[in-house]
Structure formats: C-alpha cells, structure tokens
Amino acid sequence: MTTLALADTDPAELPVDAIVVGVYSDEDPAAAPLLAQGAEGVDAAFDGKLAATLALLGATGSVGEVTKLASLGATTAPVIAAVGLGKPGTAPAENLRRASGSAVRALAGSAKVALALPALSEEDGGLRAVAEGALLGSYQFAGYKSKPSGKDAVGTVTVLVPAADDAAAQAEISRAGVVADAVAQCRDWVNTAPNELRPPSFADFVAEAAKKAGLEVEVLDEKALQAGGYGGILAVGMGSEALPRMVRLAYTPKGASSGKKVALVGKGITFDTGGVSIKPAAGMWEMKSDMGGAAAVAATMLAVAALKPSVEIVAYIPMAENMASGSAYRPGDIVTMYGGKKVEVLNTDAEGRMILGDALARACEDNPDYLLETATLTGGQVVALGKRVSGLMGTPELTARVQAAGDRVGEPGWAMPLPDDIKKNMESDIADILQVSAGMDRGGHMLQGGIFLSEFVSEGVQFAHIDIAGPSYHSGEAYGYVTKGSTGVPVRTLLETIDDIALNG
Ligand code: BES
Ligand code: MN
Ligand code: ZN
C-alpha cells in the first residue's frame, strides 16, 4: 500500500530513498533535456551540472522516460530519478500523471520517494495528476503465486508543494487517495480469476464493499430476477450453474443542490465463452475481463460514497456468466426483456446487450436525468478506435460531456454515430428488434450495440454508452500509470462526469 504525504522543504535535504525531478525534451534532440521547475534544489546540490549529467546518461525528456543516477552524497537521498515530461506545455496534466506513474514504478522496492515535479498547485490540476499518477502506477495485483515475487510498491510518496499545510492541496491529496482506491478495487475485481468471481460471489463482493461504504444495497438473485421479468439477464445467465444476479446501489445525499439524478449501469459478464455461438480458444482467457463495466460502476459508487457529490446516484449492475450448456439460450430464441420488448437472438455472443437492456429499462423507472452506461461490448470498438480510445454513443449533449471529462482525466473517448440505416437493418420480421444486424452483418458493429441499447432508454433521459472493450484491459507491459491487466477505465471518467453534473447540473 502506497501512501501520500505533502512537504514544502528543500528536497535535497529530505530523508528519502530517491528524489524524482522532471525534465522536458528540448526542441533540438541533440541538446540536453531541460530541467523542470522543482529540480532547482537538486541541481544546486549537483553544482548546476544536473542537466549535463542527465544528457550524458542519455536522458531525452520523453514522457515517462526514467533516468536514475547515484547522488554520491550530494543530496540526503542516495538516488535521483529524472522523469521525462515531454515537450514543455503539451497536455501538462496527463504528462505529469504518466510521468509520476512511471517514476514510482521504476522506484519500486524503495520505502520513501519524494516527487519534486513542476506546477504542483491545485489550480491547474497538476497536483491532482501527480498524486493520482503515483498511486495508480503503484498498483499491484496480489495474484496467486505461492511465493510472491517482485519488488514491493513504494511505501510513502512525498509530494513537494509550495505550502504543505494548504487546505486545498491537502484536499487534492485525499481526493486522489479515494479515486485511486476505487480504481484499484476495479482493477482487483477484473484481474480476479473467473473461477473465483462468478455472478453470486461477485454480487457478494460488491454488496459487502458497498455496505461498508454506507451505500443502500439490494441484490436480486435468480428468483427475484424471474419474478421481476428480467428476461435478458436470465436468458444469458441460466446457461451457467453459477446463477445470475443484479445489484442495485443507491447514494442519496440530503438536499442535493444540483437537483439532478444520475443512473449508472455496467456490464457484468464474469466470463464470456460466447455461449452456443462459442468463441475461438485463442485469447478467450481475456474474457475474464468482460465484467469491466460492472467493476467500474461498482468502484465508482464506492468513491461516490466517500467524495459525497451533491447529486443523487443509483447504479444497476447485471451479472451473468455466458456459458454453453443444456440450459443455455440459443440463436433463434425470442427473449422477452424487462419492460416487455421482444428480442430475436441471432448470436449468443452478443450477450452484453441482453443483460444491459434489462438493466437500462429498470434504471429508467427511477427517472434519472442522466444515464451513464459502460460495457466491454464489442470487438468492433477495438477495430474502430484501438486499445486506448473508448467508443461513445448516445444523446449528443451527454456524450460530449463524457468525452470532455475523459479528456481531462486521461481516459480519451470518441463520439460515434447511431445511423438510421443500421437501425433499419436491426428490424426483426417476427419480434420487436433484432439483437444484431440482419444476417449478422458486421458493418458498424460497435454502432449496432449502441443502437440496441438506446432502444431500452426512455424518451427524455440523456444517455451515454461507453464501449470500453479495448481500453478497460491492458495485456502488454505497464506504461505510465497503466499497469498490466485491468486499467480501471472508465472509473475516473465517471467520477469526473458526476462532479461536472453535481457542479453544473
Ligand atoms: N465481450 C465481447 C466483446 C469484447 C471483445 C470485449 C474483445 C473485449 C475484447 C462481446 O460480448 C462480444 O462477444 N461481442 C461480439 C458481438 C457480436 C457477436 C455481435 C463481438 O464483438 O464480436
Ligand atoms: Mn460475447
Ligand atoms: Zn461479452
């Protein structure tokens, strides 16, 4: 567990294991990197030779590059680490967040690290970014090794600021702690092996954490789902011996000044085999992450309980395991969804929209002003936008606000259309709607998902669907503050959007 502290002393005299300073890249690639503000004390201890020394060691100042050197007694700390911040003035908050994450990862195994990075005031978001980056980059999944291996995360990260007793600066640090805890909880749930996290146990984990946080909790088991008419969740969930659930979480502040109500919905497929329309074996293990939307929504609610925004929030989290079995649903089935719409199933691997349609229809009964839903919904999202940019669909105004919020927190998304011709192609001859385009036409595959889900949202509710199939999970090596496995996307986007709604209505 990494903890954050603030200090306003000369970093060169701090009793820590390493001091992190920032360096910008110069326009001229052959020139020495430029020391960022905050590095003055360390540079003075190096007789003004820090930049030249770093240039000798090959430092270029590119974002997240870490160059370590021994201080040989020049500073109290035995190690100096210079972290690249990119070109001066480019996307400063996200560069700082990434640099901070890279630095703490490179210094894993150290008990105490000080960050002497530039512009650490609360006004420009720099302090929040550095604090978040350090905590998110320090995340480690406990895993299942009999003998734990690897270095421990940094114990204490001291962030150098102009005034350590400044209340606003302290508030930023404590907010970063809450946000990072939520992201870590999301990552832990997603990284948990799918045999250890099936719908009943996932519902228990979420309910327990939410109760502890002081949220109102309700869990619908398979009998309650049956009695309530949740046909989509049941169709998918009954194919598994581990029966489906839906968790409802509510946060109701007294006298919320915004007067607005937000509903959150997240896809909780604890494992997606594809069902009868079974997936190929290669890569199927990654479908343990198919509950990334559910984990993000549940974790967001835990942060909400701690941050107490002035807006009412309710979350619906459907959970099912998509298996192929004698009780599994099949292509050709007609499923009566919550609220009565009849869906003609063409492919059991399009299971996310089946459980989400029910949850969205139920959420609308609570009369939200805003409905934010997130899901690892389509491979089409990855084809269209890649692994790091989420697909955003829905009503234009809320979609734009989600995109702007995502940009502020370093979780980019891109608005996608819901075209009429694709909608037309989802008309069924025998039911109210086809689950996917006629003939399983894969054109506009991500958009089909958005169109289907929009059908379950009531008129007048502002809606945003965030397809996180790519961005929620990172199978490569860690970079910046993104660790291997679950990324925790879009927890910070949801929290940022909620903040925006609480402040601006
Ligand atoms: N969970 C998958 C989508 C997915 C793919 C998430 C890759 C993360 C990475 C979803 O349930 C799925 O299988 N979608 C199908 C839909 C198709 C059958 C209409 C897909 O994307 O091919
Ligand atoms: Mn699927
Ligand atoms: Zn799925």
Side-chain angles (χ1 to χ4, degrees), residues 9-14 16 18-23 35-54 67-83 114-117 160:
T9 49
D10 179 1
E13 288 168 11
L14 276 177
V16 293
I19 303 168
V20 175
V21 299
V23 286
L35 293 184
Q37 184 248 316
E40 299 82 2
V42 176
D43 189 35
F46 274 71
D47 293 331
K49 293 178 186 143
L50 185 58
T53 309
L54 289 168
T67 310
K68 290 195 232 180
L69 56 144
S71 74
L72 305 178
T75 59
T76 310
V79 171
I80 306 298
V83 65
L115 302 181
L117 292 168
L160 288 150

Side-chain angles (χ1 to χ4, degrees), residues 229-245:
Y230 292 91
I233 300 173
L234 289 164
V236 177
M238 295 311 284
S240 170
E241 279 177 22
L243 296 169
R245 296 286 183 266

Side-chain angles (χ1 to χ4, degrees), residues 428-452:
S428 166
D429 293 339
I430 55 172
D432 295 318
I433 185 172
L434 285 174
Q435 177 206 29
V436 297
S437 276
M440 272 183 53
D441 176 359
R442 290 186 61 93
H445 179 185
M446 162 172 50
L447 316 179
Q448 296 176 25
I451 287 166
F452 183 91

Side-chain angles (χ1 to χ4, degrees), residues 86-472:
K87 290 198 190 96
T90 48
E94 176 60 4
N95 284 3
L96 281 168
R97 202 182 282 115
R98 288 193 188 186
S100 172
S102 294
V104 295
R105 282 191 301 99
L107 294 166
S110 313
K112 294 180 186 169
V113 167
L115 302 181
L117 292 168
L120 292 190
S121 66
E122 55 286 358
E123 294 100 59
D124 59 5
L127 176 56
R128 182 182 290 195
V130 166
E132 263 183 27
L135 294 176
L136 297 178
S138 297
Y139 170 83
Q140 295 180 342
F141 179 55
Y144 303 96
K145 280 183 187 294
S146 306
K147 274 199 203 116
S149 63
K151 292 176 182 165
D152 287 342
V154 173
T156 305
V157 175
T158 300
V159 185
L160 288 150
V161 289
D165 58 2
D166 179 50
Q170 285 166 354
E172 289 291 86
I173 293 294
S174 71
R175 184 193 148 98
V178 170
V179 171
D181 282 350
V183 172
Q185 178 62 86
C186 174
R187 288 177 178 177
D188 276 347
W189 277 328
V190 173
N191 290 335
T192 298
N195 59 331
E196 305 246 318
L197 187 127
R198 299 176 84 193
S201 58
F202 187 22
D204 287 347
F205 294 148
V206 168
E208 195 185 325
K211 272 183 202 144
K212 229 168 99 188
L215 296 164
E216 185 191 320
V217 182
E218 189 187 347
V219 179
L220 304 188
D221 64 9
E222 72 283 358
K223 290 191 205 81
L225 291 168
Q226 220 122 36
Y230 292 91
I233 300 173
L234 289 164
V236 177
M238 295 311 284
S240 170
E241 279 177 22
L243 296 169
R245 296 286 183 266
M246 182 156 74
V247 180
R248 179 184 191 273
L249 306 176
Y251 163 76
T252 322
K254 287 199 186 74
S257 57
S258 74
K260 299 289 183 194
K261 187 165 185 178
V262 175
L264 305 177
V265 171
K267 170 177 171 180
I269 295 294
T270 62
F271 194 75
D272 183 10
T273 65
V276 169
S277 314
I278 201 159
K279 287 181 182 295
M284 201 200 276
W285 53 85
E286 277 194 9
M287 285 302 118
K288 73 172 188 175
S289 68
D290 212 18
M291 31 58 74
V297 164
T300 296
M301 290 301 284
L302 299 180
V304 159
L307 297 171
K308 304 199 185 331
S310 183
V311 57
E312 211 181 317
I313 310 177
V314 61
Y316 286 91
I317 311 172
M319 299 168 175
E321 189 177 38
N322 190 22
M323 299 292 264
S325 78
S327 56
Y329 79 136
R330 45 190 99 49
D333 279 2
I334 302 292
V335 174
T336 304
M337 305 284 284
Y338 185 86
K341 269 207 179 74
K342 298 208 189 268
V343 174
E344 182 180 356
V345 175
L346 297 186
N347 187 321
T348 61
D349 199 9
E351 82 298 337
R353 61 197 72 183
M354 302 298 295
I355 69 167
L356 290 166
D358 279 358
L360 290 169
R362 173 64 187 88
C364 285
E365 289 183 350
D366 288 348
N367 295 315
D369 299 284
Y370 301 104
L371 176 46
L372 297 159
E373 169 275 320
T374 186
T376 48
L377 201 73
T378 66
Q381 179 278 316
V382 190
V383 174
L385 295 170
K387 294 284 292 174
R388 297 192 188 175
V389 180
S390 301
L392 308 176
M393 285 142 276
T395 53
E397 203 184 309
L398 185 61
T399 305
R401 284 175 84 169
V402 170
Q403 183 168 352
D407 285 343
R408 289 196 292 278
V409 300
E411 294 182 342
W414 199 255
M416 304 300 286
L418 301 173
D420 281 341
D421 67 308
I422 296 182
K423 187 170 175 181
K424 190 127 192 45
N425 211 21
M426 294 179 75
E427 284 172 6
S428 166
D429 293 339
I430 55 172
D432 295 318
I433 185 172
L434 285 174
Q435 177 206 29
V436 297
S437 276
M440 272 183 53
D441 176 359
R442 290 186 61 93
H445 179 185
M446 162 172 50
L447 316 179
Q448 296 176 25
I451 287 166
F452 183 91
L453 296 176
S454 298
E455 289 296 308
F456 295 86
V457 177
S458 303
E459 206 63 44
V461 176
Q462 288 205 41
F463 173 53
H465 159 55
I466 312 174
D467 193 336
I468 53 166
S472 65

